[in-house]
Amino acid sequence: MKLKIAFLAVACMSVLLISCKKSDSNPALTPTTPTTPTTPTTPTTPNTPVTPPTVYAGYSLLWNDEFNGSSIDGGNWKFEEGTGVNGDFGTGQLDRATSRSDNATIANGVLNSGGGCLQITTRKEFYIDRNYTSARLTTEGKSSFGPGTRIEARVWAKDVRYKGQGFAFWLMPAEKPADQPYIMWPQGGEVDIMEYVGSIPKYNLGTVHYAWEWQNNIYHDWNHGHKGAYYSFPDAQVPAVNPTFGGWPLAADDMSGGSGTFHTYRIDWYADRMEFAVDGQVYHIHYFNDGSAFDNGVPDGQDEDANVTIDGKRVMKSEYSHHFAEWKPFEHKFFLLLTAGVGGNDNYTYGGAIVPEAVFPCNTYIDWVRVYQRQ
């Protein structure tokens, strides 16, 4: 998704609006004719009581931010500022990320929230050298998590309704080999828990990224594997056919997409696999090792995926991402990112280039982020 050259030591080399290259099975994306735009507003309610973190059987709460304070907690988050790799975050984005409250702040009274929310806002405005601004918050250098955890966030991408608008909740590597000054992307891996764009409004994309070869920890544009599955909000499963650009913008009261209301985006991270879920429904199970999902356990050197039916729902199973002995990315810890952005290129930015009729400011609300340890 995010086509980037991401050094562990350089935070701005991690990306948001996730980029150009998907798997060969992903469809060509074609535009649609949008409906009349409406100006976004912040939905509020006088009563948004604080709700305690969910208690899950077999898990204990390890880390969380409920965003109920008066300001963003600098002990939990840091801002990535600027324009990242190649001046476009490596994804063809047009925005400049800032640490201003205009782009990231705490909002109270948001409809259906459980207390306060982190509000991340992209704006159409000239700032320094760009015509759009955004925010990117990460836990890099503060907190990181690995196998044996459940990582989830409750997010309402309320105003992500037009082609070129997007929001992501994702993970990048927090560790590196002892004999290396950094870990290159994609050798270090990447996990996209929530990748939501206005041009494909009824679907979330959950993906792992990895390299096929170690290549001495050097980047090559051919050396990028990824396995991603779409989640259909209306059907609560993987669609029978992958979606294309279309159906945007959803009406503000349309509950059939990620812009309609809050949803909980999650991974359960096991020693041998990662399970992606939205609102508790697992839709993608990725196995790290060759033969774990297919071929009766016999390694054959092939990345594979297939839809299967589990409890009456289509689920994509995929393998594999640990291709070389020098570094097995998903045995290591990753840090969290919450990022918004504005797309600049149909062929390079996942979600496509921004359209003139897109409405700004574009707000996304994060009710909470939580990490649980499996007991």
Coordinates of all heavy atoms in Angstrom, one line a residue, residues 130-188:
R130 N 2.9 24.2 0.7 CA 1.9 23.2 0.2 C 0.5 23.8 0.3 O 0.2 24.7 1.1 CB 1.9 21.9 1.0 CG 3.2 21.2 0.9 CD 3.5 20.8 -0.6 NE 4.9 20.4 -0.8 CZ 5.3 19.1 -0.7 NH1 4.4 18.2 -0.5 NH2 6.5 18.8 -0.9
N131 N -0.4 23.3 -0.5 CA -1.8 23.8 -0.5 C -2.7 23.0 0.4 O -3.9 23.3 0.5 CB -2.4 23.8 -1.9 CG -1.7 24.8 -2.8 OD1 -1.4 25.9 -2.3 ND2 -1.4 24.5 -4.0
Y132 N -2.2 22.0 1.1 CA -3.0 21.2 2.0 C -2.1 20.9 3.3 O -0.9 20.8 3.2 CB -3.4 19.8 1.4 CG -4.2 19.9 0.2 CD1 -3.7 20.0 -1.1 CD2 -5.6 20.0 0.3 CE1 -4.5 20.1 -2.2 CE2 -6.4 20.1 -0.8 CZ -5.9 20.1 -2.1 OH -6.7 20.3 -3.2
T133 N -2.8 20.8 4.4 CA -2.1 20.4 5.6 C -2.8 19.2 6.3 O -3.9 18.9 6.0 CB -2.1 21.5 6.7 OG1 -3.4 21.9 7.0 CG2 -1.3 22.7 6.1
S134 N -2.0 18.5 7.1 CA -2.5 17.3 7.7 C -1.8 17.1 9.1 O -1.0 17.9 9.5 CB -2.2 16.1 6.8 OG -0.8 15.9 6.7
A135 N -2.0 15.9 9.7 CA -1.3 15.6 10.9 C -1.0 14.1 10.9 O -1.7 13.3 10.4 CB -2.1 15.9 12.2
R136 N 0.2 13.8 11.5 CA 0.7 12.4 11.6 C 1.2 12.2 13.0 O 2.2 12.8 13.5 CB 1.8 12.1 10.6 CG 1.4 12.4 9.2 CD 2.6 12.5 8.2 NE 3.3 11.2 8.2 CZ 3.0 10.2 7.3 NH1 2.0 10.3 6.5 NH2 3.7 9.1 7.3
L137 N 0.6 11.3 13.8 CA 1.0 11.0 15.2 C 1.5 9.6 15.3 O 0.9 8.7 14.7 CB -0.2 11.2 16.2 CG -0.5 12.7 16.6 CD1 -1.2 13.4 15.4 CD2 -1.4 12.7 17.8
T138 N 2.6 9.4 16.0 CA 3.2 8.1 16.1 C 3.6 7.8 17.6 O 3.8 8.8 18.3 CB 4.4 7.9 15.2 OG1 5.6 8.2 15.9 CG2 4.3 8.7 13.9
T139 N 3.8 6.6 17.9 CA 4.4 6.2 19.2 C 5.8 5.9 19.1 O 6.4 5.3 20.0 CB 3.6 5.0 19.8 OG1 3.8 3.9 19.0 CG2 2.1 5.3 19.9
E140 N 6.5 6.2 18.0 CA 7.9 5.8 17.8 C 8.7 6.4 18.9 O 8.6 7.6 19.2 CB 8.4 6.4 16.4 CG 9.8 5.9 16.1 CD 10.3 6.5 14.8 OE1 9.7 7.4 14.2 OE2 11.3 5.9 14.3
G141 N 9.6 5.6 19.4 CA 10.5 6.0 20.5 C 9.8 6.1 21.9 O 10.4 6.4 22.9
K142 N 8.5 5.8 21.9 CA 7.7 5.9 23.2 C 7.1 4.5 23.6 O 7.3 4.0 24.7 CB 6.6 6.9 23.0 CG 7.1 8.3 22.8 CD 6.0 9.3 22.6 CE 6.6 10.7 22.4 NZ 7.3 11.3 23.6
S143 N 6.4 3.9 22.6 CA 5.8 2.6 22.9 C 5.8 1.7 21.6 O 5.6 2.3 20.5 CB 4.4 2.7 23.4 OG 4.3 3.4 24.6
S144 N 6.1 0.4 21.8 CA 6.0 -0.5 20.6 C 5.5 -1.8 21.1 O 5.7 -2.2 22.3 CB 7.4 -0.6 20.0 OG 8.4 -1.0 20.9
F145 N 5.0 -2.6 20.2 CA 4.3 -3.8 20.5 C 4.6 -4.9 19.5 O 4.9 -4.6 18.3 CB 2.8 -3.5 20.6 CG 2.5 -2.3 21.4 CD1 2.2 -1.1 20.8 CD2 2.5 -2.3 22.8 CE1 2.0 0.0 21.5 CE2 2.3 -1.2 23.5 CZ 2.0 0.0 22.9
G146 N 4.4 -6.2 19.9 CA 4.8 -7.3 19.0 C 3.8 -8.4 19.2 O 2.7 -8.3 19.6
P147 N 4.3 -9.6 18.8 CA 3.5 -10.8 18.9 C 2.9 -11.0 20.3 O 3.6 -10.7 21.3 CB 4.5 -12.0 18.6 CG 5.5 -11.3 17.8 CD 5.7 -9.9 18.3
G148 N 1.7 -11.6 20.4 CA 1.1 -11.8 21.7 C 0.2 -10.6 22.1 O -0.3 -10.6 23.2
T149 N -0.1 -9.7 21.1 CA -0.9 -8.5 21.4 C -2.2 -8.5 20.6 O -2.2 -9.0 19.5 CB -0.1 -7.2 21.3 OG1 0.4 -7.1 20.0 CG2 1.0 -7.2 22.3
R150 N -3.2 -7.7 21.1 CA -4.3 -7.3 20.3 C -4.2 -5.8 20.3 O -4.1 -5.1 21.3 CB -5.6 -7.7 21.0 CG -6.9 -7.0 20.5 CD -8.1 -7.6 21.1 NE -8.4 -8.9 20.5 CZ -9.4 -9.7 20.9 NH1 -10.3 -9.3 21.8 NH2 -9.6 -10.9 20.3
I151 N -4.2 -5.2 19.1 CA -4.1 -3.8 18.9 C -5.3 -3.3 18.1 O -5.7 -3.8 17.1 CB -2.8 -3.5 18.0 CG1 -1.6 -4.1 18.7 CG2 -2.7 -2.0 17.8 CD1 -0.3 -4.0 17.9
E152 N -6.0 -2.3 18.7 CA -7.2 -1.8 18.1 C -7.5 -0.4 18.4 O -6.9 0.2 19.3 CB -8.4 -2.7 18.6 CG -8.6 -2.6 20.1 CD -9.8 -3.5 20.6 OE1 -10.3 -4.3 19.8 OE2 -10.2 -3.4 21.7
A153 N -8.3 0.2 17.5 CA -8.6 1.6 17.6 C -10.1 1.8 17.2 O -10.5 1.1 16.2 CB -7.7 2.5 16.8
R154 N -10.8 2.7 17.8 CA -12.2 3.0 17.5 C -12.2 4.3 16.7 O -11.8 5.4 17.3 CB -13.1 3.1 18.7 CG -14.6 3.2 18.4 CD -15.4 3.1 19.6 NE -16.9 3.1 19.3 CZ -17.7 4.1 19.5 NH1 -17.2 5.2 20.1 NH2 -19.0 4.0 19.2
V155 N -12.5 4.3 15.4 CA -12.3 5.4 14.5 C -13.5 5.8 13.7 O -14.2 4.8 13.3 CB -11.1 5.2 13.6 CG1 -10.8 6.4 12.7 CG2 -9.9 4.7 14.3
W156 N -13.8 7.1 13.6 CA -14.9 7.5 12.7 C -14.2 8.5 11.7 O -13.8 9.6 12.0 CB -15.9 8.3 13.5 CG -17.1 8.8 12.7 CD1 -17.4 8.5 11.4 CD2 -18.1 9.7 13.2 NE1 -18.5 9.2 11.0 CE2 -19.0 9.9 12.1 CE3 -18.4 10.3 14.4 CZ2 -20.1 10.7 12.2 CZ3 -19.5 11.1 14.5 CH2 -20.4 11.3 13.4
A157 N -14.1 8.0 10.5 CA -13.5 8.8 9.4 C -14.6 9.6 8.7 O -14.9 9.5 7.6 CB -12.8 7.9 8.3
K158 N -15.1 10.5 9.5 CA -16.4 11.2 9.2 C -16.4 11.9 7.9 O -17.4 11.8 7.1 CB -16.8 12.2 10.4 CG -18.0 13.0 10.1 CD -18.2 14.0 11.2 CE -19.3 15.0 10.8 NZ -18.9 15.9 9.7
D159 N -15.4 12.7 7.6 CA -15.3 13.5 6.4 C -14.5 13.0 5.3 O -14.3 13.6 4.3 CB -14.9 14.9 6.8 CG -15.8 15.6 7.8 OD1 -17.0 15.4 7.7 OD2 -15.3 16.3 8.7
V160 N -14.0 11.7 5.5 CA -13.3 11.1 4.4 C -14.3 10.5 3.4 O -14.7 9.4 3.5 CB -12.4 10.0 5.0 CG1 -11.6 9.3 3.8 CG2 -11.4 10.5 6.0
R161 N -14.7 11.4 2.5 CA -15.9 11.1 1.6 C -15.6 11.3 0.2 O -16.5 11.0 -0.7 CB -17.1 11.9 2.1 CG -17.5 11.6 3.5 CD -18.6 12.5 4.0 NE -19.8 12.5 3.1 CZ -20.3 13.6 2.5 NH1 -19.7 14.7 2.8 NH2 -21.3 13.5 1.7
Y162 N -14.4 11.9 -0.2 CA -14.1 12.2 -1.5 C -12.9 11.5 -2.0 O -12.0 11.3 -1.2 CB -14.0 13.7 -1.7 CG -15.3 14.4 -1.6 CD1 -15.8 14.8 -0.3 CD2 -16.1 14.7 -2.7 CE1 -17.1 15.4 -0.2 CE2 -17.4 15.3 -2.6 CZ -17.8 15.7 -1.3 OH -19.0 16.3 -1.2
K163 N -12.8 11.3 -3.3 CA -11.6 10.7 -3.9 C -10.4 11.6 -3.5 O -10.4 12.9 -3.7 CB -11.7 10.6 -5.4 CG -10.5 10.1 -6.1 CD -10.9 9.8 -7.6 CE -9.6 9.5 -8.4 NZ -8.8 10.7 -8.7
G164 N -9.3 11.0 -3.0 CA -8.1 11.8 -2.7 C -8.0 12.0 -1.2 O -7.0 12.5 -0.7
Q165 N -9.1 11.8 -0.4 CA -9.0 11.9 1.0 C -8.8 10.5 1.7 O -9.4 9.5 1.2 CB -10.3 12.5 1.6 CG -10.6 13.9 1.1 CD -11.9 14.5 1.5 OE1 -12.9 13.8 1.6 NE2 -12.0 15.8 1.7
G166 N -8.1 10.4 2.7 CA -7.8 9.1 3.4 C -7.3 9.2 4.8 O -6.8 10.3 5.2
F167 N -7.4 8.1 5.5 CA -7.0 8.0 6.9 C -6.4 6.6 7.1 O -7.0 5.6 6.5 CB -8.1 8.3 7.9 CG -7.6 8.3 9.3 CD1 -7.0 9.5 9.8 CD2 -7.6 7.2 10.1 CE1 -6.5 9.5 11.1 CE2 -7.1 7.2 11.4 CZ -6.5 8.4 11.9
A168 N -5.4 6.5 7.9 CA -4.8 5.2 8.2 C -4.4 5.0 9.6 O -3.9 6.0 10.3 CB -3.6 4.9 7.3
F169 N -4.6 3.8 10.1 CA -4.1 3.4 11.5 C -3.2 2.2 11.1 O -3.7 1.2 10.6 CB -5.3 3.0 12.3 CG -4.9 2.3 13.6 CD1 -3.9 2.7 14.4 CD2 -5.6 1.2 14.0 CE1 -3.6 2.1 15.6 CE2 -5.4 0.5 15.2 CZ -4.3 1.0 16.0
W170 N -1.9 2.3 11.4 CA -0.9 1.3 10.9 C 0.3 1.2 11.8 O 0.4 1.9 12.8 CB -0.6 1.6 9.5 CG -0.1 3.0 9.1 CD1 -0.8 4.2 9.3 CD2 1.1 3.4 8.6 NE1 -0.1 5.3 8.8 CE2 1.1 4.8 8.4 CE3 2.3 2.7 8.2 CZ2 2.2 5.5 7.9 CZ3 3.4 3.4 7.7 CH2 3.3 4.8 7.5
L171 N 1.2 0.3 11.4 CA 2.3 0.0 12.2 C 3.6 -0.1 11.4 O 3.6 -0.5 10.2 CB 2.2 -1.4 12.9 CG 0.9 -1.8 13.6 CD1 1.0 -3.2 14.1 CD2 0.6 -0.8 14.7
M172 N 4.7 0.4 12.0 CA 6.0 0.4 11.4 C 7.0 -0.2 12.4 O 6.8 -0.1 13.6 CB 6.4 1.8 10.9 CG 5.7 2.2 9.6 SD 6.2 1.3 8.2 CE 7.8 2.0 7.9
P173 N 8.2 -0.7 11.9 CA 9.1 -1.4 12.7 C 9.8 -0.5 13.7 O 10.3 0.5 13.4 CB 10.1 -2.1 11.8 CG 9.9 -1.3 10.5 CD 8.5 -0.9 10.4
A174 N 9.9 -1.0 15.0 CA 10.5 -0.3 16.1 C 11.9 -0.9 16.4 O 12.6 -0.4 17.2 CB 9.6 -0.3 17.3
E175 N 12.2 -2.0 15.8 CA 13.5 -2.7 16.0 C 14.2 -2.9 14.7 O 13.7 -2.8 13.6 CB 13.2 -4.1 16.7 CG 12.5 -4.0 18.0 CD 12.2 -5.3 18.7 OE1 12.2 -6.3 18.0 OE2 12.0 -5.3 19.9
K176 N 15.5 -3.2 14.9 CA 16.4 -3.4 13.7 C 17.5 -4.5 14.1 O 17.7 -4.7 15.3 CB 17.1 -2.1 13.4 CG 18.1 -1.6 14.4 CD 18.8 -0.3 14.0 CE 19.8 0.2 15.0 NZ 20.9 -0.8 15.2
P177 N 18.1 -5.1 13.1 CA 19.2 -6.0 13.4 C 20.3 -5.3 14.1 O 20.6 -4.1 13.9 CB 19.6 -6.5 12.0 CG 18.4 -6.2 11.1 CD 17.8 -5.0 11.7
A178 N 20.9 -6.0 15.0 CA 22.0 -5.5 15.9 C 23.2 -5.0 15.0 O 23.9 -4.0 15.4 CB 22.5 -6.5 16.9
D179 N 23.4 -5.6 13.9 CA 24.6 -5.2 13.0 C 24.2 -4.2 11.9 O 25.0 -4.0 11.0 CB 25.2 -6.4 12.4 CG 24.2 -7.2 11.5 OD1 23.0 -6.9 11.5 OD2 24.7 -8.1 10.7
Q180 N 23.0 -3.6 12.0 CA 22.6 -2.7 11.0 C 22.3 -1.3 11.6 O 21.7 -1.2 12.8 CB 21.3 -3.2 10.3 CG 21.5 -4.5 9.5 CD 22.4 -4.3 8.3 OE1 22.3 -3.3 7.6 NE2 23.2 -5.3 8.0
P181 N 22.5 -0.2 10.9 CA 22.2 1.1 11.5 C 20.7 1.4 11.4 O 20.2 2.3 12.1 CB 23.0 2.1 10.6 CG 23.2 1.4 9.3 CD 23.3 -0.1 9.7
Y182 N 20.0 0.7 10.6 CA 18.5 0.9 10.4 C 18.0 -0.3 9.8 O 18.7 -1.3 9.4 CB 18.2 2.1 9.5 CG 18.9 2.1 8.2 CD1 18.4 1.3 7.1 CD2 20.1 2.8 8.0 CE1 19.1 1.2 5.9 CE2 20.8 2.7 6.7 CZ 20.3 1.9 5.7 OH 20.9 1.9 4.5
I183 N 16.6 -0.4 9.7 CA 16.0 -1.5 8.9 C 15.3 -0.8 7.8 O 14.5 0.1 7.9 CB 15.0 -2.3 9.8 CG1 14.4 -3.5 9.0 CG2 13.9 -1.4 10.4 CD1 15.5 -4.5 8.7
M184 N 15.6 -1.3 6.6 CA 15.0 -0.7 5.3 C 13.5 -1.2 5.2 O 13.1 -2.2 5.7 CB 15.8 -1.2 4.1 CG 15.3 -0.7 2.8 SD 15.2 1.1 2.7 CE 16.9 1.6 2.7
W185 N 12.8 -0.4 4.5 CA 11.4 -0.8 4.0 C 11.6 -1.4 2.6 O 12.3 -0.8 1.8 CB 10.5 0.4 4.0 CG 9.1 0.1 3.7 CD1 8.1 -0.3 4.6 CD2 8.5 0.0 2.4 NE1 6.9 -0.5 3.9 CE2 7.1 -0.4 2.5 CE3 9.0 0.2 1.1 CZ2 6.3 -0.6 1.5 CZ3 8.1 0.0 0.0 CH2 6.8 -0.3 0.2
P186 N 10.9 -2.5 2.3 CA 10.0 -3.2 3.2 C 10.6 -4.4 4.0 O 9.8 -5.2 4.5 CB 8.9 -3.7 2.2 CG 9.8 -4.1 1.0 CD 10.9 -3.0 0.9
Q187 N 11.9 -4.5 4.0 CA 12.5 -5.6 4.8 C 12.1 -5.7 6.2 O 12.0 -6.7 6.8 CB 14.1 -5.5 4.7 CG 14.7 -5.9 3.4 CD 14.8 -4.8 2.4 OE1 14.0 -3.9 2.4 NE2 15.9 -4.8 1.6
G188 N 11.8 -4.5 6.8 CA 11.3 -4.5 8.2 C 9.8 -4.7 8.4 O 9.4 -4.8 9.5

